[in-house]
Amino acid sequence: MGNSMFCYQCEQTFGGKGCTKSGVCGKTPEIANLQDLLIYQLKGISCYVKNLIDRGETIDKNIVTFLENSLFTTLTNVNFDSNSHVKLLKESQKIKESLRNKSPEGKYPDAATYNLSDTKEDMLKDSVKAGIMYDENLDADIRSLRSTILYGLKGISAYGHQARFIGYTSEQIDQFYFLALEATTNDNLTLQDMIRMTMRTGDMSVEVMKTLDKANTSRYKDPSIHKVNVNIKKGPFIIVSGHDLRDLEMLLKQTENKGINIYTHGEMLPAHGYPELKKYKHLVGNYGSAWQNQQKEFDGIPGCILMTTNCLMRPRETYKDRIFTTSVVGWDGVQHIDVNEDGTKDFSVIINKALELGGFKEDEKPKEILVGFGHKETLSHASEIVNAVKKGIIRHFFLIGGCDGARPGRNYYTSFAQMVPNDCIILTLACGKYRFNKLDFGTIEGLPRLLDVGQCNDAYSAVRIATALADAFDTDVNSLPLTIILSWYEQKAVADLLALLSLGVKGIYLGPSLPAFISPNILQYLVDTFDIRPISTPEEDLKSSLKQAN
């Protein structure tokens, strides 16, 4: 049993059904099963915490932080290090016991009454009962919604973690983690109850993105239009990947006047739009493309890489000595930079290594792209946009965004963007934009036709833009000339999708494939209620988007 697993939380899952021998993402059965057990422990903790919440008691913030970090650790392409999982598991048992002692007598689910074994071997044996498919008699639709809620929570935890690191939290979110996890263990809840809890997860996803938006814009000011060089410069360098702006800021401070160039990578590209980060002259550009090309792009480079969140892939030997992880990210044998008690980090190991490696030998000719179309920047052009729509100069808006992946079907998004007629505007966000963000789309009424709204969490910005435009036209979002084409890869995209549904957005195109954890009945419910559409061909989908609008 030790060498099998079951995981279907991401888009690339084997055969579109589930990974059973090893994860397509690179995780081993051992990691997958330790993650199952950790989630099981979090569910158990949540059963006790829900009791405390029901009795009006306040929850220790350390428990909230632990739960958030643990959920985030199990997100796709974050942590592949078994020691850090065992450490979290042991910590979870201490927390569980302290809560158990405070909780009233009563009947609790197995996840709550279970006690963690002492050794990793025994933990792995126990993990069987924590498996998604363990209860064969569970109703398929209930299982589907439990998974959807859990994956939505994982996405929320990633955003919550990022906001908390800047010092911003939401009391609602902090409580919701426990209430929602308890719901996934509760056999008394009906299908209707679970649908309500799934929609509630969408509400909380909006709330956490709003919190993170506030954190980022308060600390780094509202994004504005900036040019970013996507080619390399001569000299020692560090590439910062992931999503965490605070890590980037600390590294920028610590590398000032050291002769080191800092490049963003992947989802860090939007950092160039924030005035308080852009002011550092040695933030010189963006390196490479989307996360799934990192093994090729990092191969033997003469500089260092810092991974602040997902998406980490198995590091090749040619750069394993120069890639560093921080926060919840981890890989066996890769150097980790811990956070100090006071919330700071010391990046001197990566700085010294970058200087020692010496960096690129010469400059490439610069090539620039534009970033920084957050809600404030874009809406500063609202009246021009509205007038252009009223005059028929702008016909339609397409939001083409989401996470990217390695599947061949993903060139759909490139083709779609290229086929969009010249009288339409494309909004984009998350790393799906690397499919087309270096192409030239020209301008319309003085505005670039391609507007980069930011990271995946900036789905919040896109919503702000859409609702403001709807208000300007005195209508609702679903009546706007707007089509949303969503590419999903991991659990943050699940949170984003639930957020859009909770806001009542209809007619979203979803691809490249449908989630394996959505049962046929639940899919039917989403189609009936929200008119969700699996993508077909770019030609067909573009035609039906523009036809509906007329």
Side-chain angles (χ1 to χ4, degrees):
M1 192 60 223
N3 54 0
S4 73
M5 59 180 274
F6 185 83
C7 179
Y8 61 4
Q9 70 176 2
C10 86
E11 193 274 333
Q12 66 182 357
T13 196
F14 188 73
K17 291 188 171 57
C19 293
T20 53
K21 291 191 169 59
S22 69
V24 174
C25 64
K27 71 179 169 187
T28 58
E30 174 175 277
I31 297 293
N33 295 331
L34 290 172
Q35 291 189 347
D36 283 350
L37 193 60
L38 181 56
I39 293 292
Y40 191 67
Q41 284 284 76
L42 300 180
K43 289 178 175 181
I45 285 170
S46 299
C47 294
Y48 292 122
V49 171
K50 179 176 186 291
N51 261 321
L52 299 175
I53 292 173
D54 289 347
R55 299 201 322 227
E57 295 188 32
T58 49
I59 308 309
D60 176 353
K61 284 297 173 215
N62 293 327
I63 297 179
V64 180
T65 305
F66 173 80
L67 185 109
E68 189 170 69
N69 289 348
S70 300
L71 276 172
F72 191 9
T73 299
T74 70
L75 193 129
T76 302
N77 291 93
V78 173
N79 195 304
F80 301 84
D81 177 35
S82 60
N83 294 338
S84 52
H85 287 87
V86 170
K87 215 164 106 187
L88 287 170
L89 278 160
K90 291 188 163 160
E91 177 74 9
S92 73
Q93 185 59 27
K94 283 194 194 122
I95 291 174
K96 192 197 259 184
E97 285 168 12
S98 73
L99 288 163
R100 196 183 277 157
N101 297 335
K102 288 189 216 152
S103 290
E105 295 287 313
K107 190 163 162 35
Y108 290 95
D110 296 344
T113 53
Y114 165 74
N115 286 313
L116 188 72
S117 297
D118 291 334
T119 64
K120 182 167 86 176
E121 288 61 44
D122 287 337
M123 288 177 197
L124 286 166
K125 283 191 194 118
D126 293 351
S127 72
V128 176
K129 63 165 158 258
I132 298 163
M133 295 299 176
Y134 178 66
D135 179 0
E136 290 166 16
N137 304 320
L138 186 63
D139 177 82
D141 300 333
I142 294 279
R143 189 193 318 272
S144 176
L145 291 171
R146 284 182 176 184
S147 295
T148 307
I149 291 166
L150 172 63
Y151 303 149
L153 281 180
K154 288 187 183 195
I156 289 171
S157 76
Y159 298 150
H161 172 276
Q162 221 177 314
R164 197 176 303 271
F165 194 34
I166 305 178
Y168 286 75
T169 56
S170 154
E171 202 48 55
Q172 266 186 302
I173 302 289
D174 289 0
Q175 286 205 359
F176 184 72
Y177 287 134
F178 302 102
L179 301 177
L181 279 174
E182 188 274 337
T184 65
T185 68
N186 192 330
D187 294 330
N188 299 323
L189 299 180
T190 63
L191 197 58
Q192 268 331 101
D193 294 332
M194 292 305 280
I195 286 175
R196 270 198 296 277
M197 187 52 91
T198 309
M199 286 302 118
R200 186 95 185 100
T201 308
D203 294 338
M204 290 300 114
S205 178
V206 176
E207 169 70 16
V208 78
M209 288 195 272
K210 187 170 139 190
T211 307
L212 179 52
D213 181 77
K214 193 170 166 206
N216 286 339
T217 55
S218 303
R219 188 169 180 100
Y220 306 115
K221 304 291 176 274
D222 276 289
S224 51
I225 304 173
H226 286 90
K227 288 181 174 163
V228 184
N229 182 15
V230 291
N231 284 343
I232 60 173
K233 287 179 85 69
K234 185 178 160 182
F237 65 92
I238 299 169
I239 294 165
V240 185
S241 190
H243 303 73
D244 206 302
L245 302 183
R246 176 90 178 93
D247 281 324
L248 174 63
E249 179 192 26
M250 289 192 285
L251 183 68
L252 285 167
K253 279 209 170 100
Q254 290 177 37
T255 46
E256 247 181 328
N257 307 321
K258 294 249 166 83
I260 296 178
N261 289 327
I262 306 292
Y263 297 90
T264 55
H265 172 264
E267 278 274 57
M268 288 303 266
L269 167 62
H272 293 269
Y274 290 93
E276 290 298 303
L277 295 171
K278 194 61 180 173
K279 68 180 187 191
Y280 291 94
K281 293 288 169 271
H282 60 301
L283 179 61
V284 294
N286 188 69
Y287 179 84
S289 55
W291 68 273
Q292 75 277 3
N293 305 321
Q294 64 186 262
Q295 289 163 320
K296 192 166 74 236
E297 292 175 347
F298 294 166
D299 198 21
I301 52 171
C304 295
I305 307 119
L306 176 67
M307 298 298 297
T308 65
T309 57
N310 62 329
C311 299
L312 171 66
M313 295 171 81
R314 181 194 184 90
R316 290 185 180 172
E317 291 306 318
T318 55
Y319 62 87
K320 199 170 178 182
D321 66 333
R322 52 200 70 176
I323 187 167
F324 295 75
T325 59
T326 187
S327 179
V328 295
V329 191
W331 190 285
D332 267 338
V334 165
Q335 233 180 315
H336 188 80
I337 294 167
D338 275 320
V339 62
N340 302 321
E341 285 292 304
D342 63 359
T344 59
K345 294 180 185 183
D346 177 1
F347 288 114
S348 45
V349 295
I350 189 168
I351 291 171
N352 296 336
K353 181 80 182 171
L355 290 168
E356 174 202 322
L357 286 165
F360 294 122
K361 293 282 177 273
E362 53 201 62
D363 288 348
E364 285 178 347
K365 188 172 170 237
K367 173 182 165 65
E368 293 185 321
I369 61 174
L370 287 179
V371 300
F373 293 92
H375 51 89
K376 190 165 180 222
E377 178 66 62
T378 305
L379 291 173
S380 70
H381 303 279
S383 59
E384 297 123 86
I385 296 173
V386 171
N387 286 334
V389 174
K390 285 182 174 160
K391 285 188 198 145
I393 298 168
I394 296 177
R395 174 162 47 146
H396 203 80
F397 297 90
F398 290 92
L399 173 63
I400 309 177
C403 355
D404 203 6
R407 244 176 228 254
R410 289 186 178 264
N411 47 17
Y412 166 95
Y413 298 93
T414 317
S415 309
F416 195 103
Q418 286 176 302
M419 282 178 202
V420 168
N422 287 336
D423 57 358
C424 302
I425 282 185
I426 301 170
L427 299 159
T428 189
L429 52 89
C431 67
K433 66 169 136 295
Y434 283 103
R435 293 267 157 190
F436 47 79
N437 69 343
K438 292 173 188 173
L439 306 173
D440 185 9
F441 288 93
T443 61
I444 184 166
E445 287 295 89
L447 265 180
R449 281 187 55 235
L450 180 70
L451 306 179
D452 184 348
V453 180
Q455 294 181 327
C456 49
N457 40 283
D458 292 313
Y460 175 73
S461 248
V463 164
R464 287 277 299 267
I465 293 167
T467 43
L469 289 176
D471 290 346
F473 289 113
D474 202 16
T475 179
D476 67 358
V477 171
N478 291 317
S479 308
L480 279 178
L482 166 72
T483 305
I484 299 178
I485 319 276
L486 204 62
S487 57
W488 83 281
Y489 172 70
E490 39 80 331
Q491 298 81 62
K492 283 188 257 191
V494 178
D496 290 2
L497 176 66
L498 292 177
L500 292 169
L501 299 183
S502 80
L503 293 164
V505 177
K506 295 193 167 152
I508 295 171
Y509 286 86
L510 184 61
S513 65
L514 291 171
F517 52 84
I518 297 282
S519 65
N521 289 336
I522 299 300
L523 179 61
Q524 197 53 53
Y525 172 81
L526 292 173
V527 171
D528 294 344
T529 316
F530 299 103
D531 191 20
I532 280 208
R533 305 152 186 213
I535 61 172
S536 60
T537 64
E539 293 85 347
E540 284 299 306
D541 295 346
L542 185 60
K543 209 163 73 186
S544 60
S545 307
L546 291 170
K547 192 166 72 214
Q548 267 184 315
N550 294 340

